[in-house]
Amino acid sequence: MWKSPVESLDLPDGRTLGYATYGSTNPSDPAIFLFHGMPGCRLVGRSWNKLCKDIGARLITIDRPGNGLSTLADRTLTQWPEDVLSVADHLKVERFSIVGGSAGGPFALACARFIPKERLRATTVVCGIAPIEAFLDTTPYLSWRLRGFTPWAVKLAARYIILPRLLTPYRDLDPDRLKRTLEDQCQTPEEKEFLKPDPNRETDLDDAVAGLMETFKQGDGGFMLDGSITSRDWGFDLKDIDGERVWLWHGDQDAVAPVATAKWIDERLGGGRLRVLEGGTHSTIWKHHEKEIFEHSARA
């Protein structure tokens, strides 16, 4: 199993942030912060260690609160940029770009809104999760509103019904059961190909299981916090983001984050920021476009 350099940063408010570094070790190479999905942790960066070495990019991943090594604390989406800048300052990274995948997408957009352009070169969202409002506006039977009751009810259902249900497969942290869970989540033939040994990949299914074990080492608090943060009001307007430095990548076959919600986000960023990849699902988009995504982020 692949090992990676892992460190932690103690913050002035008493919290700890876990992070890991991958890819190039040359401090003059461009730095990319990669935000993990849900469930997830800093170990997600292992999958792109070699790729980032090859393209000459430094890759930095951070555990969000309650995941991996990071202290569980009731933080908001708008506070996440402060944590990112703390790690960047600690590592003496002056300028950087960001890639946020899946549930990491909202956190990437928060950084695009609040981190000064003097520090943040570019933001890339891959198959990002959208605000609840996007689902309300793009789902036919939810697109009507009843004096604010519909958004309130959907957010309540997301927090107290959907999130616990999503958590169920991960409650038993037995490696064999987690492996079967990951196998069951692969629905299409192409997704099932991910499970087969590949000498060109640096990580395998056992590494994915180890990542989940690390994610939940403190319990399920980090997972529930991530879900709560992304399903409530984000605390900022997407229209206030400088969309010229934001790029959206999305598969048209994404069953987790429907492409209609990515189009909803694109409209609010000013349009023209979305690239829809034909045949791409929530996971296969990485298989076919990972090098392009990271090269674009490094050179932006």
Side-chain angles (χ1 to χ4, degrees), residues 112-289:
R113 171 63 182 88
F114 293 108
I115 293 181
K117 62 182 180 180
E118 291 78 16
R119 301 292 304 270
L120 182 57
R121 296 196 315 269
T123 302
T124 302
V125 177
V126 184
C127 297
I129 300 299
I132 289 292
E133 289 74 18
F135 290 93
L136 292 171
D137 288 345
T138 58
T139 304
Y141 56 87
L142 290 178
S143 58
W144 57 275
R145 309 295 177 91
L146 182 60
R147 295 183 180 179
F149 175 77
T150 302
W152 175 83
V154 171
K155 290 178 182 179
L156 200 65
R159 185 169 186 178
Y160 294 104
I161 298 175
I162 299 174
L163 280 176
R165 187 171 297 175
L166 292 174
L167 178 62
T168 299
Y170 308 106
R171 288 195 181 278
D172 187 349
L173 292 181
D174 174 77
D176 291 333
R177 291 189 180 183
L178 286 176
K179 185 177 291 189
R180 288 195 294 272
T181 293
L182 293 174
E183 291 170 342
D184 292 341
Q185 289 174 349
C186 294
Q187 300 294 319
T188 69
E190 191 172 13
E191 288 174 337
K192 293 181 185 297
E193 284 293 317
F194 283 129
L195 303 179
K196 297 180 180 179
D198 184 347
N200 296 318
R201 284 206 307 262
E202 200 165 6
T203 56
D204 55 23
L205 190 57
D206 288 331
D207 288 294
V209 170
L212 287 173
M213 298 287 287
E214 179 65 20
T215 297
F216 291 105
K217 70 185 300 179
Q218 299 183 61
D220 61 19
F223 177 92
M224 295 301 292
L225 179 61
D226 266 357
S228 175
I229 287 174
T230 54
S231 62
R232 63 195 185 204
D233 186 273
W234 284 10
F236 61 95
D237 193 328
L238 291 172
K239 294 179 181 178
D240 292 332
I241 295 174
D242 180 5
E244 291 299 313
R245 304 302 296 169
V246 178
W247 286 268
L248 310 174
W249 299 61
H250 219 96
D252 65 352
Q253 300 301 308
D254 194 322
V256 177
V259 68
T261 62
K263 294 177 180 178
W264 187 95
I265 292 176
D266 183 47
E267 290 175 3
R268 282 147 185 81
L269 293 176
R273 315 315 302 161
L274 173 63
R275 179 176 175 184
V276 178
L277 302 167
E278 185 177 355
T281 69
H282 204 65
S283 58
T284 60
I285 187 174
W286 292 102
K287 178 181 180 181
H288 298 298
H289 300 279

Side-chain angles (χ1 to χ4, degrees), residues 19-37:
Y19 70 90
T21 56
Y22 304 92
S24 172
T25 57
N26 185 341
S28 64
D29 281 341
I32 301 172
F33 277 82
L34 173 64
F35 298 165
H36 61 75

